[in-house]
Amino acid sequence: MRTMGKQIFINICKIPLLLLFLYMFICSLDILSSAFQLAGGKVAGDIFKDNAVLSNPVAGLVVGILVTVLVQSSSTSTSIVVSLVSSGLLDVGSAIPIIMGSNIGTSVTNTIVALMQAGEREEFKRAFAGATVHDCFNWLSVLVLLPLEAITGVMRLMSGAVVESFNIVTGENGPELLKVITEPLTKRIIQLDKAVIVGIATGQEVLRNKSLIKVWCQTRIMVSDISVSGTHLFVETGLSDLAVGLILLASSLLVLCTCLLLLVKFLNSLLQGQVAKAIQKIINADFPFPFGWLTGYLAILVGAGMTFVVQSSSVFTSAITPLIGIGVISIERAYPLTLGSNIGTTTTAILAALASPGDKLAAAFQVALCHFIFNVLGILLWYPVPLSRLPIRMARFLGEQTAKYRWFAVLYLILCFLLLPSIVFALSMAGWQVVVGFCVPCVAVLLCIVVVNRLQLQKPHLLPWWLQTWDHLPLWMHSLKPMDKIITRVTLCCRETRNNDHSRTSPEDLPQLSECEAEKNLAPLAQNGPALIYSFETETGAVFDSLNGKSSRL
């Protein structure tokens, strides 16, 4: 009884520490976003400035992905788009693909968080699957809705009809409840003037040499009002934006990784035995028959509400990723929660748009509404029917691959968020005909491979003999094992080179022993048999060679 009471007391004491680590984790995400904006914010503004490029839907999609990855904030990229539309530099039709891209780019954060659980294979498998289900949903939605929007303009027409139907008046910003808690710490570390990025995007060249770091003064700057309510760590360092960004990037990643590892350990220690089973049963349980189908939609509402409270879909999805990894939340439950977070972040954007000035209100509200409609249509495509929940199956496949080959997670990040968007962007510069000519065959081949794989598993007799298996193809065409061998070999070579560098000793550092002294010291070993002599032969001969320049051997 005393042991049980002691354990309960220890668990209660762990809860404040758990909340502290969660607070530091959320703050580190905020600082990480600021670091990315300092390192790439002006580049993002330059990308948005080329309006001729943004008129291409595919280029606009890629720009939305790359800019959101650079600034680590879909709210920032969306606010830039709203400014461009309200100033007349960009029309709503061209803004919609950028909004779609920002939806994809913002999901990179929780995928990076999943990498921190790579130490344990099964946890990494679940965490990576739970993180990438967000990516898969966004990519699949874009593959369907971007061509549909380019052909019919359905989202532009729907949002335009809503704006015209309602008498929308200027309101106030939505409540930033999480900011009230995190800003006392994050504002002491760094504060940014995000209006500089918007100004560069809208063509204000005078702002190109202006720092994103806020400098405290009592005058009115042309971009924004600068407060005099306090200071921050980097206010007078004299460092460039890039240098401060890299410092914050390294420190925030270190704090992020540390807090995440400690969160996982504390959660594992708290959620053990019957407690873990009870929590898993409550979170992953469905309503009684015949209302079980309502559980997922309730989870969507919960995800939307939680995201509205914390004002960030990245924070919410990153916070549930460790819980997915340790098995508290199943991927089937995480999927609707993630869909709800997509809805929640768009309602925040709508409230922010309602706070725009009267002359910018209609355009800002229409862009924010397009973001909302995109996510709602995506949910209608990939959630109501269980067979249509392809993101779950895709995420499970990605999780299994990362469990086998841990380097696959890094390859996935580079491929999906940098390499593939860059290639498509380069092709889009040559015209939409080139993009269609390249992408359509690639997508068609990919779909054929998926269908054949499914038939191979379930109904192989429907396929001709040469499609019932891929074994007749070279191994590298249907397996990652050849690449895994190459990466393993390169890793081992790097380790051997490093070990050789550490173990290499100059002749001056060797003990000054004569050959006779060395033989005398090795005499007891010789009595134990020739096997021991043979094991020392090479090393002793090398010592003699370095000392006397001879080729003698023992």
Side-chain angles (χ1 to χ4, degrees):
M1 188 69 179
R2 183 179 297 177
T3 305
M4 184 179 295
K6 182 179 179 181
Q7 187 63 38
I8 293 173
F9 177 75
I10 292 173
N11 287 338
I12 292 174
C13 292
K14 286 180 180 178
I15 293 176
L17 287 174
L18 187 69
L19 295 175
L20 174 63
F21 292 137
L22 180 61
Y23 176 75
M24 295 300 296
F25 173 75
I26 294 172
C27 288
S28 66
L29 284 174
D30 194 348
I31 299 298
L32 182 68
S33 174
S34 299
F36 274 106
Q37 289 177 55
L38 282 169
K42 290 186 177 179
V43 176
D46 285 330
I47 293 174
F48 273 123
K49 192 174 67 173
D50 195 346
N51 301 315
V53 173
L54 299 181
S55 61
N56 183 330
V58 177
L61 172 73
V62 176
V63 164
I65 296 172
L66 294 177
V67 168
T68 308
V69 169
L70 279 174
V71 301
Q72 280 293 287
S73 171
S74 60
S75 300
T76 300
S77 55
T78 303
S79 66
I80 296 174
V81 173
V82 168
S83 299
L84 290 172
V85 172
S86 59
S87 62
L89 297 175
L90 193 69
D91 60 273
V92 175
S94 300
I96 292 174
I98 304 174
I99 297 294
M100 294 182 183
S102 71
N103 234 40
I104 294 174
T106 193
S107 60
V108 72
T109 307
N110 53 313
T111 308
I112 294 174
V113 169
L115 294 178
M116 310 308 169
Q117 292 182 263
E120 206 284 318
R121 195 174 294 274
E122 282 301 314
E123 283 188 12
F124 189 34
K125 175 183 174 180
R126 291 191 293 263
F128 196 79
T132 53
V133 73
H134 195 187
D135 309 343
C136 296
F137 168 78
N138 288 329
W139 278 108
L140 287 172
S141 299
V142 165
L143 284 175
V144 175
L145 296 177
L146 181 63
L148 182 66
E149 176 65 23
I151 295 170
T152 64
V154 58
M155 284 183 277
R156 177 176 55 82
L157 295 175
M158 289 173 66
S159 60
V162 172
V163 170
E164 292 176 0
S165 301
F166 293 95
N167 183 22
I168 302 170
V169 296
T170 300
E172 297 182 355
N173 276 316
E176 298 187 355
L177 303 180
L178 189 68
K179 293 285 186 182
V180 175
I181 303 172
T182 59
E183 278 188 351
L185 177 61
T186 57
K187 273 196 169 184
R188 291 291 178 183
I189 299 173
I190 188 68
Q191 293 190 42
L192 303 182
D193 192 355
K194 297 180 183 179
V196 174
I197 305 175
V198 179
I200 294 174
T202 53
Q204 298 181 39
E205 293 296 327
V206 69
L207 300 176
R208 183 169 299 281
N209 296 324
K210 179 178 172 57
S211 174
L212 284 170
I213 302 171
K214 280 189 176 181
V215 179
W216 303 101
C217 60
Q218 297 183 356
T219 58
R220 193 179 186 86
I221 306 289
M222 67 176 64
V223 180
S224 61
D225 296 335
I226 295 182
S227 169
V228 293
S229 59
T231 184
H232 57 86
L233 188 61
F234 294 93
V235 69
E236 293 179 350
T237 58
L239 297 173
S240 65
D241 287 3
L242 179 60
V244 175
L246 293 177
I247 292 171
L248 290 176
L249 180 64
S251 56
S252 61
L253 282 175
L254 179 62
V255 174
L256 179 73
C257 298
T258 304
C259 291
L260 184 61
L261 291 173
L262 292 172
L263 274 172
V264 171
K265 286 187 177 296
F266 271 82
L267 286 171
N268 276 324
S269 64
L270 286 172
L271 304 178
Q272 289 179 347
Q274 298 299 321
V275 177
K277 291 180 181 179
I279 293 176
Q280 290 174 14
K281 187 175 181 180
I282 292 171
I283 292 178
N284 300 313
D286 292 333
F287 289 134
F289 182 83
F291 304 106
W293 59 275
L294 288 173
T295 310
Y297 294 98
L298 177 63
I300 292 175
L301 293 176
V302 170
M306 292 297 295
T307 305
F308 180 77
V309 169
V310 301
Q311 294 281 291
S312 173
S313 60
S314 296
V315 169
F316 176 72
T317 53
S318 299
I320 67 172
T321 297
L323 297 175
I324 300 170
I326 64 176
V328 173
I329 301 178
S330 66
I331 189 172
E332 287 80 11
R333 183 65 70 242
Y335 180 52
L337 288 171
T338 301
L339 301 185
S341 75
N342 275 4
I343 297 293
T345 196
T346 59
T347 56
T348 304
I350 289 174
L351 289 175
L354 289 175
S356 301
D359 57 334
K360 300 180 180 180
L361 177 61
F365 182 72
Q366 187 174 359
V367 171
L369 199 59
C370 288
H371 196 187
F372 177 79
I373 293 171
F374 168 73
N375 284 295
V376 170
L377 291 178
I379 292 173
L380 293 176
L381 281 172
W382 307 115
Y383 187 76
V385 181
L387 288 177
S388 68
R389 295 171 188 173
L390 291 179
I392 295 179
R393 292 192 283 274
M394 293 171 64
R396 285 190 184 280
F397 172 77
L398 292 173
E400 290 169 359
Q401 295 305 310
T402 53
K404 293 179 183 176
Y405 318 105
R406 300 192 189 190
W407 51 264
F408 179 80
V410 179
L411 178 66
Y412 169 83
L413 275 174
I414 295 173
L415 186 66
C416 286
F417 294 102
L418 290 176
L419 190 59
L420 184 60
S422 300
I423 292 173
V424 174
F425 182 77
L427 290 173
S428 66
M429 294 297 94
W432 66 269
Q433 297 90 344
V434 177
V435 177
V436 171
F438 177 82
C439 292
V440 169
C442 290
V443 172
V445 171
L446 185 62
L447 289 175
C448 289
I449 292 173
V450 171
V451 171
V452 171
N453 279 335
R454 179 60 59 181
L455 290 175
Q456 285 177 349
L457 292 174
Q458 296 182 350
K459 297 182 179 180
H461 61 278
L462 297 178
L463 297 170
W465 66 268
W466 51 276
L467 282 180
Q468 292 180 2
T469 179
W470 300 118
D471 292 341
H472 58 280
L473 295 175
L475 187 62
W476 61 269
M477 294 184 68
H478 61 92
S479 175
L480 292 175
K481 287 183 179 179
M483 186 179 293
D484 182 58
K485 289 180 180 179
I486 294 172
I487 293 175
T488 304
R489 192 173 302 167
V490 171
T491 305
L492 290 175
C493 288
C494 292
R495 286 181 181 177
E496 289 177 2
T497 303
R498 186 179 60 184
N499 292 336
N500 290 337
D501 290 339
H502 286 304
S503 62
R504 187 177 293 118
T505 309
S506 62
E508 291 77 8
D509 297 331
L510 293 170
Q512 299 300 314
L513 295 177
S514 65
E515 186 170 345
C516 294
E517 289 174 334
E519 289 181 1
K520 183 179 179 180
N521 291 337
L522 289 174
L525 294 173
Q527 296 175 1
N528 294 327
L532 288 174
I533 297 175
Y534 179 77
S535 66
F536 284 92
E537 180 181 326
T538 304
E539 296 172 0
T540 309
V543 171
F544 290 161
D545 291 346
S546 61
L547 287 172
N548 303 322
K550 299 177 181 180
S551 300
S552 56
R553 295 287 185 213
L554 185 62

